[in-house]
Amino acid sequence: KDTHMICGLTEDDVIDRLRAAVQAAGSQKAYAELHGISEQYVSNALLRRCAPGPRMLEAIGVERRVYYEDKSQ
């Protein structure tokens, strides 16, 4: 039986990382230009209107994974 532990990030953790990266870039506009995405997309992700996509996640060192959990344990 595979008993490895999954250590992940919460959605809050991801948004916190994104917010910190935006602050480091100086603005949402600067961050967006640096990573080739729209400023509106950055804003929407920070406001949780949409989920950060692969390019945005890659820029903050995060990969989205889906897993299943055994509820009987």
Side-chain angles (χ1 to χ4, degrees), residues 25-68:
S27 68
Q28 289 181 21
K29 182 177 181 179
Y31 181 84
E33 288 175 355
L34 182 64
H35 297 289
I37 55 180
S38 74
E39 183 179 357
Q40 187 63 47
Y41 180 36
V42 175
S43 176
N44 284 340
L46 288 170
L47 294 171
R48 299 171 192 245
R49 291 181 180 152
C50 67
R55 186 180 292 182
M56 195 178 293
L57 293 174
E58 178 70 27
I60 59 172
V62 173
E63 180 179 69
R64 182 176 182 268
R65 294 186 180 181
V66 177
Y67 71 96
Y68 298 91

